[in-house]
Every structure is written in C-alpha cells, then in structure tokens.
Amino acid sequence: MANFKDMLNIATSKIAEWEGGGKHHNPERDTWTAYDDEIGGNVPTLGPGITGQIGGQDIQIGQEYPSDAVSGEFEGRLQDEWDWISSKMSKTWGGLNPNQQASVISLLHNVGADKFRYDKNREETNAYKNLQKGDLEGFAYEAFDPEEGFVKAGGKIVPGLQNRRAKERDLFFTDMSESAF
C-alpha cells in the first residue's frame, strides 16, 4: 500500500516538470516569480501550478516569492489533494501504486477537485465514478484520452493539456518495478 511520502516523491518532480513554471525560478535569489497562465484563462500562477493565494495573500503576476514558501505551499496543496481523494476513493485508493496515485494527484492539482468530480451539469464525471469503483481502464480513458479526457480550456482542446494527460496516463500505467524517472 502506498503512502503520502511515496507518492509525494514522484508527484513533486513530475508536476514541477509538467507545469512548466521552472523558467520562472531564480536560483541566485532562490525565488519564484508569478506568471500569467494563459492556458488556464489568464490566471496568476506560481512555480509548480500554484494559483489563488500563498501565505494568505493573492498571487500577483510579476511578484517574487521565496522558494521555501512556494515549496511549503505546494506540498501542503498536494497533502490536501491526497486527503480529499483518499476520503472519496477509500475502497480503491489504497490499492493504487505510488505512480498511479501521483498521476491522479497531478490531474487533481491541474484541474481541481471540483472539475474532476463534477461536470458542467453538476453530475459526477465518468472519470470520478470509474476510479471510485476501481475501473482503472475506464478511469484512464475518461481522464487522459486526448479527445475525451480533461484536455479542454474554455471549451477548446488544448495541445499542452493533451500532452500532460498523455504523460499522466503513461505514469498511471508505469509499474513500480519500472523507473518513473
């Protein structure tokens, strides 16, 4: 059975790589500069996909934030996502390996728990229902498929999201005996 630390080791490196925020890191000053995530609809974003607030303050495009604050916020959000999904998927979550869990956490981190769980009509998504009942192939199709998965922003398919879903799918089906790195 996987635990949070096992999943965290995989998810932090993968999400950081896939979010693309690394170009906004200043190693000399050990800071991150918030940027405008145009794919998400002009959302102020920091480091590995952090939106909204950090330290109780709204994230401001162009503002620098200390790396330790960004890392702490990122890990805290992954913990919140872990807690949420493990409470909703209590029958299946513990049976997933750390690669599978990291893949799901990456998806949650990117689209948000509400969008993962509910469609625009406030009905549970097929991805959510399939994961909950343990239909991993059905979940993977509904979550990661390049046409049907979580690949749209503003109602349009976004190639960058298709690429990320493909990487998450690959990770989801990577056995733990294989290297995820």
Side-chain angles (χ1 to χ4, degrees):
M1 182 169 153
N3 61 42
F4 177 73
K5 185 173 173 145
D6 293 336
M7 180 283 306
L8 183 67
N9 289 335
I10 298 166
T12 52
S13 70
K14 294 297 183 182
I15 293 171
E17 172 190 339
W18 298 337
E19 282 288 342
K23 64 184 174 192
H24 302 281
H25 180 248
N26 183 332
E28 286 101 34
R29 293 205 303 258
D30 199 23
T31 60
W32 290 86
T33 303
Y35 61 97
D36 184 5
D37 182 1
E38 296 172 9
I39 292 176
N42 299 315
V43 176
T45 305
L46 187 56
I50 298 170
T51 59
Q53 294 188 335
I54 185 168
Q57 300 293 317
D58 289 344
I59 295 171
Q60 301 294 321
I61 294 170
Q63 184 172 335
E64 289 188 345
Y65 297 84
S67 290
D68 60 342
V70 174
S71 296
E73 183 71 25
F74 181 46
E75 188 169 330
R77 289 184 184 204
L78 294 184
Q79 179 71 61
D80 291 346
E81 290 153 355
W82 168 278
D83 293 345
W84 183 84
I85 195 75
S86 61
S87 74
K88 303 297 182 201
M89 304 291 161
S90 58
K91 293 180 183 176
T92 58
W93 187 248
L96 299 179
N97 71 46
N99 285 337
Q100 291 170 315
Q101 290 179 343
S103 176
V104 174
I105 292 294
S106 174
L107 176 66
L108 280 175
H109 184 72
N110 187 240
V111 304
D114 194 62
K115 187 173 179 187
F116 171 70
R117 185 170 184 182
Y118 297 111
D119 64 18
K120 61 185 174 191
N121 299 318
R122 298 301 294 167
E123 295 179 15
E124 289 184 342
T125 66
N126 289 331
Y128 179 87
K129 291 187 283 190
N130 284 336
L131 185 59
Q132 194 170 50
K133 67 183 178 184
D135 177 358
L136 301 185
E137 291 287 339
F139 162 74
Y141 173 78
E142 295 292 340
F144 307 131
D145 183 79
E147 302 295 321
E148 301 297 323
F150 294 95
V151 296
K152 295 179 182 174
K156 296 181 180 177
I157 292 176
V158 177
L161 293 177
Q162 289 176 312
N163 293 340
R164 179 162 177 168
R165 297 294 94 87
K167 292 174 182 178
E168 288 167 342
R169 184 184 193 292
D170 289 348
L171 179 61
F172 189 80
F173 288 113
T174 299
D175 186 276
M176 287 308 295
S177 63
E178 302 173 46
S179 174
F181 300 95

